[in-house]
Amino acid sequence: MRFDTVIIGGGLTGMLAGITLQKAGQKTAIISTGQNALHFFSGSFESIKEPSQRIVELFAEAGVRLHYSPGVRLLPLGTFKESALALEDVDIFPTPKFARKVLIVNFSGYHDFFTSFLADGLEKQGMTCRLRFLSLPELETLQQSPSEMRSVQIARVMDRVWEKVVQEVRVLLKDEDAVVLPQVFGLQDTSVPGRIRQGIPAHVVFAGTLPPSVPGIRTLILLKQRYQLLGGTYLMGDEVIRAHTHEGVVHSVATRNLDNHYIEAANFILSTGGYFSKGLISNPFQVLEPVFGLDVEYKEDRNQWYNPTFKEDQPYMHFGVKADENLHALKDGKPLENLFVAGSILGGNRPEFGFAAGQCIKTALFAADQILKK
Amino acid sequence: MNANEFDVIIIGGGITGAGTQRDCAMRGLRTLLIERSDIATGATGRNHGLLHSGARYAVNDPESAQECIRENMILRRIASHCIDETDGLFITLPEDDLAYQQTFVDACRNAGISAEIIDPDLARRMEPSVNPDLIGAVKVPDGSVDPFRLCAANMLDAKMHGGQVRLHTEVTGFIKEGDTIKGVHTRNRQTGEEVDYYAPVTVNACGIWGQHIAEMAGVKVGMFPAKGALLIFAHRVNNLVINRCRKPSNADILVPGDTVCIIGTTSTRIPFEECDTVAVTPDEVTLLITEGAKLAPSLSSTRILRAYAGVRPLVSADDDPTGRNISRGIVCLDHETRDGLKGFITITGGKLMTYRLMAEIATDAVCRKLGVEKACQTADIPLPGSEEQSYEAVAQKIWESPTTAQKAAAARMGTRAARIRTGDKRDDALICECEEVSVGEIKAAIDRLEVSTLTDLRRRTRVGMGTCQGEFCACRAAGLLVKAHGCVERERADLEDFLQERWKGNFPIGWGDTLREAEYTQWVYKLVLGL
């Protein structure tokens, strides 16, 4: 099998790079283990402060609607954080006080939505809050099993019965000018958040829940559909087990499922993520990149990996693969000319790319552009 | 009589204090227990959780060995829901002296401990995780004990006998009249409230911190803090306790407990000032893993869940200020005869295993002072929850066809699990999926077991003790605590404390899957939830 570009890692980074390259006429493949950070995506690209037509369009073509409006967004524990670019159903307000009176609605028996923390946070901003719980018979089946009342399971039900939520909320609503609901809408039917907003005569805010993130998984589904529609080959549930590199050039990789076939390509992008998705692995002595054995920036003294205070910045989270200014991966100090590093596997301090989801977007586009420039 | 007057005040909410309160309360005394933090926060909750057969002490300390086996048999009867009757092996490895085995077995038998030499092949079959190179094995009646559960059950029984408990309350001074202790000044560390309590007798049951309390009362008790570090592995690798059959040394006991197993321990003298801040060093981690793998080789590739350390309350003998002659036995000091200070008793030394005996000795001393003649019953009457011997039977009685979560609850709560059967499906919802802890069980703990923080809740229910280390359950449980206590601000800080406390035990072993989990937790709380 031969491709123009093979992308290892199918999260936000890999998918955006793949879409960009497919759009430019390349033949690409994405190899994905299936675990990625979109499963706990907040819905906002924090580090992107400036409007970017290119990014908004790229997402829009996949059916993922973003909005750009610098301000603050509401977090699940009732605090606010600066944001500018976010998914359409993730509100960004000019100031934290987004309403006078707020009705916070949760589903009875759902523990992953933190109503009392939200109410406390909103009241601190001078808003009056009222908490109400909905008991929908449609959710009773989930409650038969003690571990089914989770975001994605509820979202699957909500795709069918969201209109009932609208009706119930309309009954509950008194003089509130805003309603806060858990982010469990629009998993498959992406029109649902918008239609809920239309149906309720108050401003509707969807606030985050414990992962899995419904907006994150929706984004993943849409990007993957778009990539496949463009003709990309998405190898799901597979992982690279060997790579063949010769004189600074990567020739091919072999995967667990296609062990006998070498997947060859002119260029490769490594976007396997951090520790969580096993882009980086660690043992008591070192931090490693397992696919190519690339150079990793980390501290040799393990005591310097951590800050003993949980809430402080943790040095280990900045470790990652070394790359030159054009994102060529470094191995034994030398750049591999056709292997690009993108996303959260990238090590070191690279402020030009931002951080978190913002870094994923920027490095994905940068790496794809480098390949297309060749 | 004034509401702040009692027959006896017990300082220290470890197992010794809780056990002493239970014994005193069962003998009809009006008791108050004061603890500056939560129950089982000192050495009680920071050891192996080994239900010693006594075999470990048989050769060098026959007296301790005899105490252990007697208490071992008693705890099986009175604390069945806190105990796992696993049995244990003492294995001889090729580098150990096989001749020691006979000395060991003879000493065990002299102490009344059943010790049976078994064929290495049989040992490998009985315990598949054991080092297959072993050349000798002896089977003894070791087991494991959940110290948190044991402590909570003692406190609960004391309360059921009229006892009162003030947690998160520290003693700031003693009320002294002449040569007599009349009571204590206290301060609630959460509310700042200051209250005086009065009793003719006060018991100092503060473990290593007893030195400080004694000082405050004006007497000297010389403690010799010895730190012990341990590691918790994320799986229950072994089903039998595995010990080395040699002179007791570092990291030579592997204890299975609930869903995990624990290797330990080290022993390092530390200055008294460091007792509150003991931490596990990288060298200790390396030693524990290396030595642990000699007992069960699979430990070298098993995920480590946490590292922690405790401080043994060793006491120096009165006539030996240098500390060379350190006793591991039980020490009960009547400060009236020892120092001329009336109304004050110190109970210290000893082991988790012998807490009941320590409590009996202390209570006998209290009763002598008060002129109360009532026999100790703690060896005969089961703790609340332990009225049945098997948790399967308990679960069956309550639910007919119990789920695994209900069985887990029955194992943790014993017969008290009947309280969480409400018929409301919403109470069955799981808050902690690793340890299968339901809403109902958490409500029951908040209701009866003096829970004010998430960490308190963890000690009583295992919420957050599993493989995710509180990643998901912490904020779910925080929601329930807000409902119970009604203060979001306090709960926000509590959630932070809980995560900090989890991280403290994670970062010393922060690599591999532990680091993966930690990264995930950092992301979820900082970037997603916005703590």
Side-chain angles (χ1 to χ4, degrees):
Chain A
M1 271 185 289
R2 187 165 174 86
F3 295 91
D4 295 320
T5 301
V6 164
I7 298 153
I8 307 164
L12 182 60
T13 313
M15 217 97 72
L16 290 177
I19 289 170
T20 307
L21 292 170
Q22 285 292 143
K23 271 175 72 180
Q26 280 213 345
K27 182 188 175 197
T28 70
I30 294 176
I31 303 164
S32 169
T33 59
Q35 286 193 351
N36 67 68
L38 277 174
H39 290 119
F40 48 97
F41 178 42
S42 67
S44 152
F45 303 96
E46 237 85 79
S47 71
I48 298 180
K49 309 267 193 248
E50 68 291 344
S52 166
Q53 203 52 37
R54 183 184 182 193
I55 294 171
V56 172
E57 271 170 21
L58 192 66
F59 277 91
E61 287 161 4
V64 181
R65 289 183 294 273
L66 306 184
H67 67 117
Y68 177 81
S69 51
V72 291
R73 78 185 163 86
L74 175 63
L75 282 87
L77 289 178
T79 50
F80 289 84
K81 196 172 190 176
E82 275 188 27
S83 179
L85 186 66
L87 298 181
E88 196 183 39
D89 56 335
V90 174
D91 272 290
I92 304 176
F93 311 106
T95 61
K97 189 178 176 185
F98 60 80
R100 279 180 309 106
K101 290 187 171 181
V102 183
L103 173 67
I104 301 173
V105 181
N106 190 14
F107 300 109
S108 177
Y110 182 44
H111 295 278
D112 296 357
F113 184 56
F114 309 104
T115 47
S116 43
F117 284 93
L118 284 168
D120 179 66
L122 300 188
E123 276 162 8
K124 274 190 193 133
Q125 302 295 339
M127 292 173 261
T128 320
C129 293
R130 198 158 61 93
L131 294 181
R132 283 297 175 268
F133 291 86
L134 293 185
S135 293
L136 297 183
E138 287 80 2
L139 290 176
E140 270 169 25
T141 329
L142 293 183
Q143 297 194 344
Q144 294 302 311
S145 160
S147 55
E148 289 293 299
M149 279 295 275
R150 303 290 183 245
S151 61
V152 176
Q153 282 89 330
I154 295 175
R156 285 202 193 103
V157 177
M158 287 305 136
D159 271 338
R160 288 184 283 114
V161 307
W162 61 271
E163 280 174 294
K164 275 206 165 173
V165 175
V166 171
Q167 285 162 16
E168 300 268 353
V169 171
R170 288 181 69 111
V171 172
L172 290 173
L173 197 64
K174 287 184 185 160
D175 57 344
E176 286 90 358
D177 49 344
V179 175
V180 175
L181 290 172
Q183 240 168 27
V184 292
F185 300 97
L187 180 67
Q188 297 279 351
D189 182 348
T190 56
S191 70
V192 170
R195 291 158 81 177
I196 290 178
R197 280 180 168 160
Q198 278 166 18
I200 295 175
H203 183 70
V204 177
V205 178
F206 299 102
T209 66
L210 258 193
S213 153
V214 169
I217 292 177
R218 177 209 306 147
T219 305
L220 187 68
I221 295 169
L222 292 172
L223 290 177
K224 191 175 143 197
Q225 278 171 1
R226 166 75 175 154
Y227 175 70
Q228 286 173 322
L229 222 59
L230 287 166
T233 304
Y234 196 92
L235 301 173
M236 181 73 177
D238 205 354
E239 66 180 313
V240 173
I241 51 169
R242 271 195 313 278
H244 294 275
T245 306
H246 186 62
E247 291 186 349
V249 178
V250 180
H251 289 280
S252 63
V253 294
T255 70
R256 191 172 297 287
N257 293 346
L258 304 168
D259 196 7
N260 298 321
H261 303 270
Y262 288 107
I263 304 177
E264 298 173 353
N267 289 290
F268 292 83
I269 295 176
L270 183 70
S271 54
T272 43
Y275 306 91
F276 171 76
S277 48
K278 297 188 184 173
L280 296 173
I281 55 172
S282 63
N283 61 41
F285 315 103
Q286 58 194 143
V287 179
L288 303 162
E289 184 284 303
V291 176
F292 297 96
L294 299 174
D295 296 350
V296 174
E297 195 165 307
Y298 72 98
K299 296 264 193 284
E300 275 189 22
D301 174 9
R302 188 157 54 82
N303 289 309
Q304 293 185 41
W305 293 13
Y306 326 100
N307 185 315
T309 305
F310 176 80
K311 63 178 178 185
E312 294 298 325
D313 187 53
Q314 297 295 332
Y316 76 86
M317 293 179 84
H318 301 288
F319 297 168
V321 167
K322 291 183 186 171
D324 70 9
E325 68 275 19
N326 290 323
L327 296 185
H328 291 107
L330 299 188
K331 188 173 162 74
D332 304 322
K334 292 189 201 104
L336 294 172
E337 65 182 55
N338 67 339
L339 177 61
F340 296 85
V341 183
S344 46
I345 191 178
L346 184 65
N349 190 17
R350 308 288 283 254
E352 70 272 32
F353 295 117
F355 55 86
Q359 185 194 39
C360 292
I361 297 182
K362 288 198 170 175
T363 52
L365 298 182
F366 186 90
D369 290 346
Q370 296 293 306
I371 289 171
L372 293 173
K373 256 196 268 174
K374 273 191 173 180
Chain B
M1 185 163 264
N2 192 307
N4 290 348
E5 286 177 25
F6 297 87
D7 294 323
V8 57
I9 295 169
I10 296 131
I11 311 171
I15 191 63
T16 310
T20 303
Q21 191 189 16
R22 178 189 189 225
D23 198 340
C24 287
M26 282 169 69
R27 294 198 219 186
L29 304 184
R30 287 165 307 136
T31 62
L32 171 70
L33 180 114
I34 299 170
E35 160 59 45
R36 67 166 183 166
S37 172
D38 183 30
I39 56 163
T41 42
T44 299
R46 300 179 163 275
N47 55 70
H48 264 115
L50 171 59
L51 185 78
H52 276 285
S53 59
R56 184 173 171 84
Y57 306 111
V59 174
N60 290 335
D61 186 354
E63 197 188 332
S64 284
Q66 286 166 17
E67 278 171 9
C68 279
I69 189 65
R70 271 201 310 270
E71 291 300 313
N72 178 309
M73 293 302 151
I74 291 169
L75 289 180
R76 283 168 199 251
R77 282 200 311 273
I78 66 153
S80 61
H81 81 292
C82 309
I83 280 176
D84 194 350
E85 302 189 11
T86 61
D87 284 340
L89 294 176
F90 274 75
I91 61 165
T92 309
L93 293 178
E95 65 258 45
D96 302 334
D97 178 12
L98 190 56
Y100 183 79
Q101 193 185 59
Q102 199 53 54
T103 317
F104 171 77
V105 169
D106 291 344
C108 282
R109 287 178 184 158
N110 286 337
I113 303 160
S114 97
E116 182 192 342
I117 296 178
I118 60 171
D119 188 77
D121 264 340
L122 179 59
R124 282 185 283 262
R125 277 202 301 280
M126 285 168 65
E127 182 46 72
S129 74
V130 77
N131 188 337
D133 298 336
L134 82 171
I135 54 171
V138 182
K139 182 172 153 270
V140 299
D142 281 346
S144 72
V145 54
D146 186 312
F148 304 107
R149 211 173 289 162
L150 187 65
C151 203
N154 272 280
M155 177 188 69
L156 178 63
D157 206 18
K159 283 175 65 180
M160 286 160 75
H161 285 86
Q164 293 194 34
V165 176
R166 303 279 183 276
L167 301 182
H168 302 283
T169 301
E170 70 185 328
V171 169
T172 51
F174 283 89
I175 302 163
K176 229 170 161 178
E177 272 176 28
D179 57 357
T180 307
I181 296 284
K182 296 278 191 182
V184 294
H185 303 295
T186 69
R187 186 179 155 277
N188 184 307
R189 295 171 77 195
Q190 288 173 332
T191 62
E193 191 191 5
E194 294 185 354
V195 184
D196 291 348
Y197 297 104
Y198 299 88
V201 187
T202 297
V203 179
N204 169 17
C206 301
I208 195 68
W209 293 274
Q211 174 175 326
H212 173 64
I213 290 291
E215 229 165 69
M216 211 186 270
V219 292
K220 192 169 163 27
V221 178
M223 304 294 301
F224 283 81
K227 175 179 113 175
L230 303 99
L231 299 179
I232 309 179
F233 290 86
H235 308 286
R236 186 176 166 123
V237 166
N238 53 327
N239 266 320
L240 270 67
V241 177
I242 309 177
N243 308 262
R244 282 287 276 282
C245 192
R246 63 175 186 193
K247 253 185 77 192
S249 176
N250 279 337
D252 55 1
I253 311 178
L254 179 66
V255 181
D258 273 285
T259 53
V260 299
C261 62
I262 298 173
I263 185 75
T265 165
T266 58
S267 187
T268 324
R269 277 278 301 279
I270 56 163
F272 186 76
E273 303 73 51
E274 286 175 21
C275 287
D276 279 329
T277 54
V278 285
V280 181
T281 66
D283 284 349
E284 286 168 334
V285 171
T286 309
L287 177 113
L288 289 165
I289 298 172
T290 317
E291 289 298 309
K294 291 180 189 164
L295 297 174
S298 61
L299 287 187
S300 59
S301 57
T302 302
R303 175 178 161 191
I304 308 171
L305 209 51
R306 289 183 74 72
Y308 64 102
V311 184
R312 299 177 184 84
L314 303 184
V315 189
S316 72
D318 277 347
D319 53 356
D320 174 31
T322 64
R324 275 188 292 271
N325 181 19
I326 287 173
S327 163
R328 290 198 180 217
I330 299 167
V331 176
C332 182
L333 306 172
D334 180 340
H335 294 285
E336 183 174 353
T337 50
R338 182 179 179 261
D339 309 292
L341 180 66
K342 290 178 189 156
F344 193 55
I345 293 168
T346 292
I347 178 80
T348 188
K351 288 175 275 294
L352 170 65
M353 257 320 279
T354 55
Y355 88 91
R356 194 211 57 81
L357 182 58
M358 294 171 75
E360 183 178 339
I361 293 169
T363 306
D364 285 347
V366 171
C367 287
R368 267 197 307 278
K369 284 193 175 296
L370 295 173
V372 172
E373 282 180 37
K374 200 143 187 236
C376 174
Q377 293 179 292
T378 56
D380 304 312
I381 299 177
L383 286 161
S386 282
E387 295 85 351
E388 297 268 351
Q389 286 297 311
S390 120
Y391 73 89
E392 281 107 337
V394 171
Q396 204 93 51
K397 261 189 199 165
I398 304 172
W399 288 288
E400 212 164 295
S401 53
T403 62
T404 54
Q406 286 159 344
K407 280 185 196 163
R412 284 187 292 261
M413 302 178 75
T415 50
R416 290 182 50 252
R419 302 176 62 90
I420 64 172
R421 190 192 158 179
T422 61
D424 184 343
K425 279 278 164 213
R426 282 174 298 190
D427 279 349
D428 295 338
L430 290 182
I431 292 297
C432 170
E433 284 170 83
C434 301
E435 298 287 329
E436 303 205 86
V437 185
S438 68
V439 172
E441 187 173 347
I442 288 173
K443 282 186 183 165
I446 292 174
D447 193 29
R448 292 289 287 163
L449 298 178
E450 307 271 333
V451 174
S452 63
T453 70
L454 284 169
T455 307
D456 297 355
L457 187 66
R458 171 177 65 78
R459 292 193 189 95
R460 287 154 184 77
T461 61
R462 292 189 71 80
V463 154
M465 278 192 179
T467 41
C468 90
Q469 290 284 288
E471 201 165 76
F472 293 105
C473 55
C475 42
R476 284 183 194 138
L480 295 179
L481 278 182
V482 170
K483 239 176 237 169
H485 297 139
C487 183
V488 177
E489 202 44 57
R490 179 176 136 193
E491 205 42 50
R492 222 181 269 280
D494 180 31
L495 190 53
E496 239 177 68
D497 288 347
F498 181 86
L499 293 166
Q500 172 58 35
E501 196 277 335
R502 295 282 85 187
W503 177 234
K504 188 181 91 185
N506 288 149
F507 80 78
I509 41 111
W511 63 81
D513 282 337
T514 304
L515 198 62
R516 277 186 76 200
E517 202 81 59
E519 185 196 35
Y520 190 36
T521 307
Q522 289 273 350
W523 272 84
V524 168
Y525 281 92
K526 278 188 204 161
L527 295 179
V528 180
L529 299 182
L531 186 66

